[in-house]
Amino acid sequence: MISPRIKPSAFFPEEAPDDLFLVRQRKAKLEGYVQSLAAMDELIDFGAMAAAVDRACPRPDRSKGGRPPYATEVLVRMVFLQGLYNLSDEQCEHQVLDRLSFQRFCRLDGALHIPDARTLWSFRQRLAHGGLGAQAIFETLSQQLQRHGYIPRGGQIVDASIVQAPITQATTQERKTLNKGEDPAG
């Protein structure tokens, strides 16, 4: 393991030895807080969604070498977190680095390297190219939700038109007549 070249601070003291009961207790408590992530993880097959994205918009040629790419499933999960919590690329990178629940959801718990903001931006550009990646995600998600008995709906139109109402400027005498329950003249 590569150790960072950062001096330890009071905010991040040296780690205490792992306590099995402490880790179990924290994980059990986290499960209560992340029920939406756990439900989404059980309901959605992100592997099938990643395969659909790879078919719709394949990865660029890697024959010249370079760092191995992150799994498409990890990046799809991170895009879901962005949409669910309204996160920018930088915020998503930070939250995945900082939050154990996000690491577990993205299948990155215990990983040495986590996708950075630039990698996430590049993946979203790949999805946006021709709109095929986003379409593959939406179609796969809709099919999976329908299999579970949900009816996915989006883009509902709500009538919020503004209607001009007549302005009434009643005189004091007319208001008194109206308050008595009578109709004013005219």
Side-chain angles (χ1 to χ4, degrees), residues 47-70:
M49 196 172 298
V53 167
D54 284 337
R55 281 190 305 273
C57 45
R59 291 180 182 269
D61 183 30
R62 310 264 327 147
S63 62
K64 293 184 180 180
R67 186 186 58 76
Y70 290 101

Side-chain angles (χ1 to χ4, degrees), residues 100-142:
L100 178 62
S101 58
F102 281 17
Q103 290 176 16
R104 290 176 68 197
F105 178 75
C106 293
R107 304 295 189 260
L108 290 170
D109 48 340
L112 182 59
H113 299 289
I114 290 178
D116 61 352
R118 175 72 180 156
T119 303
L120 197 52
W121 177 84
S122 176
F123 177 70
R124 286 190 307 104
Q125 292 301 312
R126 182 177 141 207
L127 289 177
H129 185 69
L132 298 176
Q135 185 178 356
I137 287 177
F138 289 129
E139 287 175 1
T140 308
L141 181 62
S142 294

